[in-house]
């Protein structure tokens, strides 16, 4: 008969493990919490009521396990003497670690029990593991067995200076999403107000205090706000403001395709065609398969060609060909040609042009022995310019004469 082993000689197997309520591997039919499948959820018991709003304060109990071993690294019911539930912020992704649990809780309702699988360690404790929980090794997949107790809406401090880093980013993100709803409904002015409010939580003083990953995360929040503001301002025809907000993104990321595209459209609306072509050309080079960019670029190039043709035709029609001297070659012959063209255009010769011509003619006859012939090209140029000026004045007078005749 086997003798019992004395209690002080028994092998220490660690604290008792809580019973498993979910398989260690994700079962079929799990909900994809993230698009890449890095966070999955399997509902064990359905809850009731509504899912928490973004950044709501959720009270949950959970057991955290390492995979594939199933070893427990945290049990909220045993972590404190009062067995109080943990506070989890629904949808918070501004923290550096364990964002997968926050994202999954955002989809749960009160009373719901679910298994949350973190298949991508980036949503858990990353490649370095956990300092707080040494039993979590680097690049470890996780399993959370979660019970949603209750939730309440997010609380915001009146004085933003007292808000934590995460709270400010979350408040900005909520305002941005509220603005997106208004934008989708065609309420662009109201959407702009929400976007401006979002940026007020991440003002210049706040951003200057950040660096490294904290600054990167803050820019992930503010860049979409600037781009959404530019989109709303394009809808409202405020092209200068749209170009300014798109530039705020390009200062941080010069190759941001959407920012290049929207600034290009804004500059085109301002008539800055050359700069608009530069922006749209850069966006097209970065994403040659984007049909909207290609369509906008081709339309702008077509518009530029039409503008060039119209400008060329305007100058040709207004100034006409340069007057040519008659075979005689004198300044008086040049001026006679100008008079003929003026008569055909319905205009009268300007006194200044006549005086210049007479003076030039007198100078030619009176000073030929003193090198007066060298001044003839200059006088011819003056007469030609005066002739063009006369024709332009005649064109300006015509609409007035026509209106007077109608009256």
């Amino acid at each position: 008969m086997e003798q019992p082993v004395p209690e002080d000689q028994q092998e220490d197997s660690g604290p008792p493990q809580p019973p498993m309520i979910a398989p260690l591997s994700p079962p079929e039919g799990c909900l994809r919490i993230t698009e890449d499948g890095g966070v999955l959820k399997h509902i064990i018991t359905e809850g009731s009521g509504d899912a928490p709003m973004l950044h709501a304060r959720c009270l949950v109990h959970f057991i955290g396990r390492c995979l594939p071993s199933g070893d427990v690294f945290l049990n909220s019911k045993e972590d404190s003497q009062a067995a109080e539930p943990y506070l989890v912020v629904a949808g918070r992704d501004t923290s550096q670690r364990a964002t997968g649990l926050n994202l999954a809780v955002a989809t749960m309702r009160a009373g719901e029990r679910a298994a949350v699988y973190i298949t991508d360690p980036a949503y858990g404790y990353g490649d370095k593991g956990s300092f707080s929980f040494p039993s979590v090794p680097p690049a470890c997949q996780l399993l959370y067995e979660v019970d949603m107790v209750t939730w309440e809406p997010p609380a915001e401090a009146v004085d933003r200076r007292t808000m934590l880093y995460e709270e400010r980013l979350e408040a900005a993100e909520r305002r941005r999403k509220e603005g997106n709803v208004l934008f989708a409904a065609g309420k662009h002015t109201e959407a702009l107000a929400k976007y401006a409010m979002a940026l007020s939580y991440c003002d210049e003083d706040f951003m200057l205090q950040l660096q490294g990953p904290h600054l990167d995360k803050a820019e992930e929040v503010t860049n979409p706000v600037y781009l959404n503001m530019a989109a709303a301002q394009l809808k409202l025809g405020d092209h200068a403001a749209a170009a300014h907000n798109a530039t705020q993104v390009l200062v941080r990321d010069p190759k941001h395709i959407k920012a290049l595209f929207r600034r290009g459209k804004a500059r085109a609306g301002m008539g800055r065609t050359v700069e608009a072509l530069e922006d749209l050309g850069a966006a097209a080079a970065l994403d040659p398969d984007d049909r909207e960019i290609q369509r906008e670029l081709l339309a702008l190039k077509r518009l530029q060609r039409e503008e060039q043709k119209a400008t060329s035709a305007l100058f040709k029609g207004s100034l006409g060909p340069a007057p040519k001297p008659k075979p005689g070659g004198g300044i008086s012959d040049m001026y006679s040609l100008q008079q003929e063209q003026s008569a055909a255009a319905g205009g009268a010769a300007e006194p200044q042009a006549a005086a210049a011509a007479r003076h030039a003619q007198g100078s030619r006859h009176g000073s030929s022995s003193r090198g007066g012939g060298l001044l003839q090209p200059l006088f011819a140029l003056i007469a030609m310019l005066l002739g063009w000026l006369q024709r332009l004045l005649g064109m300006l007078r015509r609409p007035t004469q026509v209106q007077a005749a109608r009256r």
Side-chain angles (χ1 to χ4, degrees):
M1 185 174 178
E2 227 178 87
Q3 296 295 325
V5 180
E7 197 171 314
D8 57 351
Q9 298 179 17
Q10 291 182 3
E11 184 180 354
D12 183 12
S13 59
Q17 296 286 309
M20 294 285 299
I21 63 170
L24 293 177
S25 298
E28 294 184 4
C30 283
L31 299 176
R32 295 167 67 96
I33 303 301
T34 59
E35 293 183 2
D36 58 5
V39 181
L40 304 173
K41 186 182 82 166
H42 170 62
I43 298 176
I44 299 172
T45 304
E46 293 282 356
S48 60
D50 296 326
M53 60 189 301
L54 183 63
H55 304 142
R57 297 162 61 86
C58 303
L59 295 178
V60 300
H61 277 299
F62 66 89
I63 298 172
R65 298 178 184 271
C66 297
L67 295 179
S69 65
D71 293 339
V72 175
F73 66 89
L74 178 61
N75 186 339
S76 64
K77 291 184 178 180
E78 297 179 357
D79 193 48
S80 65
Q81 293 181 351
E84 295 177 351
Y86 266 50
L87 174 65
V88 175
V89 178
R92 171 176 283 181
D93 61 356
T94 54
S95 57
Q96 301 300 312
R97 299 292 179 90
T99 58
L101 177 62
N102 302 336
L103 297 175
V105 167
T107 67
M108 299 179 66
R109 299 180 296 167
E112 179 178 330
R113 170 175 285 187
V116 177
Y117 295 89
I118 309 299
T119 61
D120 184 348
Y123 295 104
Y125 291 97
D127 294 332
K128 296 182 179 180
S130 174
F131 177 79
S132 302
F133 305 108
S135 59
V136 178
C140 180
Q141 295 182 337
L142 305 173
L143 166 62
Y144 292 100
E145 300 164 355
V146 186
D147 288 293
M148 169 71 91
V149 179
T150 187
W151 63 270
E152 62 179 27
E156 293 182 3
V158 177
D159 187 353
R160 293 170 190 169
R161 294 173 298 179
T162 64
M163 298 176 69
L164 300 176
Y165 164 80
E166 292 86 358
E167 292 173 341
R168 292 183 72 149
L169 295 189
E170 290 160 3
E173 180 67 5
R174 287 195 296 275
R175 300 301 184 276
R176 183 185 73 86
K177 292 190 174 183
E178 291 170 2
N180 289 350
V181 173
L182 293 168
F183 183 91
K187 299 179 180 179
H188 303 123
T189 302
E190 293 86 346
L192 273 176
K194 287 293 184 182
Y195 297 145
M197 182 63 71
L199 289 179
S200 71
Y201 288 94
C202 301
D203 55 19
E204 186 176 359
D205 290 340
F206 173 71
M207 298 294 285
L208 287 174
Q209 299 176 44
L210 306 179
Q211 57 184 348
H214 291 91
L215 178 60
D216 294 339
K217 180 61 70 173
E219 289 179 351
E220 289 179 12
V221 173
T222 58
N223 282 354
V225 178
Y226 283 118
L227 290 173
N228 293 352
M229 290 185 79
Q233 286 155 346
L234 285 173
K235 292 287 187 180
L236 295 171
D238 191 352
H239 298 107
H244 170 78
N245 283 312
T247 301
Q248 300 308 304
V249 178
L250 292 169
V251 168
R252 300 172 173 87
D253 183 2
K255 294 185 178 181
H256 197 291
I257 297 173
K258 191 175 289 186
L260 286 167
F261 175 67
R262 291 184 181 170
R263 190 174 71 173
K265 290 186 66 175
R267 285 176 165 178
M270 298 165 65
R272 295 161 61 177
T273 307
V274 174
E275 293 172 295
L277 284 172
E278 290 177 357
D279 284 339
L280 293 175
L286 292 168
D287 189 0
D289 298 328
D290 191 307
R291 294 184 179 180
E292 187 177 3
I293 296 176
Q294 295 293 343
R295 189 163 50 246
E296 195 74 25
L297 183 59
L298 290 175
L300 189 58
K301 287 181 177 179
R302 191 181 306 114
L303 176 62
Q304 186 186 44
R305 288 194 296 268
E306 292 173 356
E307 288 176 347
Q308 291 172 344
K309 289 180 182 178
T311 303
S312 178
L314 174 63
F315 279 99
K316 286 181 181 179
S318 300
L319 302 179
K324 296 181 180 179
K326 290 183 178 180
I331 189 70
S332 58
D333 296 331
M334 175 76 74
Y335 183 65
S336 299
L337 179 60
Q338 293 291 341
Q339 285 184 315
E340 293 173 8
Q341 292 178 345
S342 299
E350 293 294 322
Q352 293 89 340
R358 285 196 300 274
H359 177 73
Q361 188 174 14
S363 300
R364 183 186 61 166
H365 293 307
S367 59
S368 58
S369 61
R370 297 190 299 274
L374 296 175
L375 298 177
Q376 288 184 10
L378 176 60
F379 294 143
L381 178 61
I382 293 173
M384 181 174 64
L385 293 174
L386 289 173
W388 276 342
L389 178 61
Q390 171 191 341
R391 293 184 66 181
L392 286 172
L393 292 173
M395 292 177 64
L396 293 173
R397 283 198 296 267
R398 270 187 217 139
T400 305
Q401 294 171 354
V402 171
Q403 292 177 1
R406 288 178 179 174
R407 289 198 294 266

